[in-house]
Amino acid sequence: MALLKLELDTQEIIDNFFDDTRLLGIVTTVKDYRFCWNLNNMLEINFRINHDIEIGLKRKKDNISFQFMNIMNPTAHFHYLYNNLHDGEFLLPEFKNLDFLWLMKNDTVTEEYLNQIKAMLRNIPGVQLVTELTNEKIKNKEYLIF
């Protein structure tokens, strides 16, 4: 008896997830805990590590777990801050120059709001670059979905 092999097509799930998202790439010279502390204090938000969910990837025979932070505020859903580097491996290898990725998913993320966030990020000590990443530039979108 031949086994039937089913393959899950995730492209539609990925496309739907990224319909109303904005993604910022951030380069900073400070450690992740210091950057997050500055981010929370200067922008008056509350990013916290989410210990309940990790993004697990298999790289070079090793399993790597990437933690991420989300805003712990019930009115500010769908703001996630990913550390792009863990144990010498990158969450999104196509963006090796970026330290953090800030994903905002909500139809209320207007151009004005995004520009305000970028301006505030540039005022945080140690931040060298803030850039918006278009969905077309992201090769491994599925790594940002948990």
Side-chain angles (χ1 to χ4, degrees):
M1 173 183 236
L3 291 174
L4 178 63
K5 184 177 179 182
L6 299 175
E7 188 172 312
L8 180 62
D9 181 13
T10 58
Q11 192 57 49
E12 186 176 342
I13 295 168
I14 292 168
D15 291 342
N16 287 340
F17 181 83
F18 281 92
D19 270 349
D20 58 352
T21 60
R22 304 298 285 268
L23 185 64
L24 296 178
I26 304 163
V27 176
T28 182
T29 58
V30 297
K31 297 275 188 191
D32 54 358
Y33 63 88
R34 175 55 94 185
F35 172 70
C36 189
W37 184 85
N38 283 331
L39 185 66
N40 286 340
N41 285 319
M42 294 187 75
L43 275 61
E44 297 180 3
I45 56 177
N46 194 18
F47 270 117
R48 295 284 181 245
I49 291 177
N50 188 332
H51 294 285
D52 297 330
I53 302 172
E54 292 181 346
I55 301 168
L57 301 177
K58 185 163 181 74
R59 301 272 173 86
K60 297 180 186 174
K61 301 181 184 179
D62 291 330
N63 291 325
I64 299 175
S65 294
F66 288 87
Q67 290 186 325
F68 69 96
M69 294 165 257
N70 60 323
I71 294 178
M72 303 302 280
N73 179 342
T75 61
H77 292 289
F78 307 116
H79 282 252
Y80 304 106
L81 187 67
Y82 303 85
N83 195 334
N84 196 35
L85 179 65
H86 179 73
D87 286 342
E89 295 290 334
F90 293 92
L91 177 63
L92 295 182
E94 62 266 31
F95 298 117
K96 290 181 179 180
N97 58 324
L98 299 176
D99 298 307
F100 293 95
L101 305 161
W102 184 346
L103 186 133
M104 296 172 238
K105 179 171 178 51
N106 199 327
D107 57 356
T108 60
V109 179
T110 63
E111 197 67 34
E112 180 182 342
Y113 177 76
L114 190 68
N115 288 335
Q116 288 174 345
I117 293 290
K118 289 192 289 189
M120 288 189 274
L121 282 169
R122 288 182 180 114
N123 289 324
I124 293 176
V127 171
Q128 296 178 328
L129 175 74
V130 178
T131 186
E132 184 172 6
L133 306 173
T134 61
N135 290 338
E136 296 79 33
K137 291 182 180 179
I138 307 168
K139 294 179 186 173
N140 299 296
K141 291 179 187 175
E142 65 273 10
Y143 294 170
L144 300 178
I145 301 173
F146 38 88

